[in-house]
Amino acid sequence: MTTLRLLQHRAEDGTRSVILAEGDAAHVLTGVASVRELALRAIEEGNSLAATARACGIGDAIDIAAEQAAGRLIAPIDHADEAHVLLTGTGLTHLGSAEGRNKMHQAAASGENVTDSMRMFLEGLEGGKPAEGQEGQQPEWFYKGDGSQLVGPGEALTMPSFAKDGGEEPELAGIYIIGNDGQPYRLGIALANEFSDHVTERHNYLWLAHSKLRQAALGAELLLGEVPEKIEGTSKIVRGGETIWEKPFLSGEGNMSHSFANLEHHHFKYDLFCRPGDIHIHFYGTATLSFSDGVQTEEGDVFEIAAAPFTLPLANPLARAAERAVTVKAL
């Protein structure tokens, strides 16, 4: 089965275009400059995003791997006003290893050391995939920021000067747009690095909110259609040209304790997330972290994430922002 993907291209003179990729072939679409524009057109016409893209004029063939290497592919969704892009996510959504699940169940059964995280994980296993028409268990939820915190392939993931850690989180992100009537539409999914401060989170779980106020990266390809049941990929860290850590990661509903529909319900049930025209980038979670294996990242490390059916990897170097004095003036 061929996979249909949309990509956003920005030429050196700033001119933007949308690329339609199917299998190994990719062509520039004519008459459209952004995925958001194309999505709004699809909603207005009452067609799918794929059908709307296919109805556009087909321009020149393009080598997307070469364009990514040249730095001309950007994140596959954005908005002219960054305040109208919301980055959010859910955690404790993936099954992880059988050993980890067994330990959680054993501890829960014993009634000893049952943490809030463990309880939430077990509640997700119990009720994260409700029957059709039923409301399932709500997941952990967090906010990462607005569109100013989004970076594309090849761009640096920059942790604040005060960060205790800058760690990768390889996962999938759902890309959504809100129609004029307040209806959320899923455009597709993208490969993502959710990027967090795991040292801060470990210090006290109530600091999770602080640890998540970080940048996040999206791969260049927006995969259209239904989300694959299972996705298998690889996450690695490269330092000085050498791979210092590498591990497979799993995603897709077959590897999750929550259904996508359940995660979407518990996000878009809030009216403030149904504002017409807004873009939502929602990170579905992961079970694979280098931090869990004792890796301490360093500035200059490169996070590389790859997973079929995406054809392009997502690679981002780690950087640290300059220190900034924080002062408040009374008026």
Side-chain angles (χ1 to χ4, degrees):
M1 182 181 69
T2 59
T3 55
L4 200 64
R5 293 104 63 209
L6 290 174
L7 304 88
Q8 295 197 127
H9 183 276
R10 182 170 56 208
E12 293 178 2
D13 64 0
T15 302
R16 291 181 48 148
S17 56
V18 176
I19 298 169
L20 177 64
E22 186 168 11
D24 296 328
H27 293 81
V28 175
L29 298 180
T30 61
V32 62
S34 73
V35 168
R36 181 175 181 272
E37 176 189 346
L38 190 66
L40 291 173
R41 184 185 303 177
I43 294 171
E44 183 179 353
E45 295 174 352
N47 291 325
S48 69
L49 184 55
T52 304
R54 290 186 187 279
C56 291
I58 300 297
D60 295 337
I62 190 167
D63 183 337
I64 58 175
E67 293 303 303
Q68 173 155 291
R72 290 189 284 266
L73 297 183
I74 60 176
I77 192 68
D78 59 356
H79 192 295
D81 183 351
E82 294 174 334
H84 286 280
V85 178
L86 286 85
L87 276 60
T88 58
T90 46
L92 300 172
T93 54
H94 283 63
L95 299 176
S97 69
E99 179 184 3
R101 293 202 304 278
N102 286 338
K103 287 180 179 178
M104 287 186 170
H105 282 293
Q106 289 166 3
S110 70
E112 298 175 358
N113 301 319
V114 181
T115 65
D116 288 339
S117 295
M118 186 185 300
R119 286 170 51 205
M120 186 171 291
F121 177 82
L122 293 173
E123 288 170 356
L125 285 178
E126 178 76 19
K129 293 183 176 179
E132 187 173 352
Q134 300 295 312
E135 181 174 307
Q137 181 67 31
Q138 66 181 5
E140 175 193 64
W141 182 95
F142 56 82
Y143 172 70
K144 289 190 67 67
D146 63 15
S148 65
Q149 301 305 295
L150 180 64
V151 304
E155 297 182 83
L157 280 166
T158 304
M159 55 184 167
S161 62
F162 53 81
K164 304 299 184 184
D165 169 55
E168 86 297 334
E169 294 206 9
E171 54 194 85
L172 302 177
I175 311 300
Y176 303 86
I177 192 169
I178 310 302
N180 289 331
D181 60 353
Q183 169 67 45
Y185 294 87
R186 188 198 313 130
L187 308 186
I189 60 169
L191 202 57
N193 186 339
E194 193 254 297
F195 191 59
S196 298
D197 186 335
H198 301 108
V199 172
T200 293
E201 178 186 350
R202 183 179 61 181
H203 176 81
N204 188 319
Y205 188 73
L206 295 178
W207 284 1
L208 174 74
H210 289 277
S211 75
K212 293 297 186 181
L213 289 174
R214 300 292 187 269
Q215 293 182 332
L218 288 183
E221 299 166 286
L222 176 65
L223 182 67
L224 305 187
E226 291 301 316
V227 183
E229 175 71 10
K230 292 187 177 182
I231 286 182
E232 300 182 7
T234 302
S235 177
K236 66 180 178 179
I237 298 175
V238 178
R239 178 178 298 165
E242 300 290 333
T243 298
I244 65 164
W245 177 86
E246 184 172 2
K247 204 166 189 177
F249 75 94
L250 305 173
S251 194
E253 282 191 8
N255 295 305
M256 296 172 64
S257 54
H258 287 262
S259 65
F260 290 115
N262 191 52
L263 299 181
E264 291 167 344
H265 167 78
H266 286 294
H267 180 70
F268 292 109
K269 68 183 182 183
Y270 295 101
D271 290 343
L272 78 160
F273 295 149
C274 295
R275 185 170 55 187
D278 279 5
I279 295 293
H280 289 252
I281 300 171
H282 193 72
F283 300 90
Y284 295 134
T286 188
T288 304
L289 307 171
S290 65
F291 180 78
S292 298
D293 291 338
V295 175
Q296 294 183 336
T297 59
E298 300 177 359
E299 293 173 61
D301 287 352
V302 178
F303 304 117
E304 293 188 11
I305 301 169
F310 300 98
T311 65
L312 299 177
L314 171 61
N316 302 92
L318 176 62
R320 183 181 291 273
E323 188 172 353
R324 177 180 64 85
V326 179
T327 58
V328 176
K329 296 182 178 180
L331 287 179

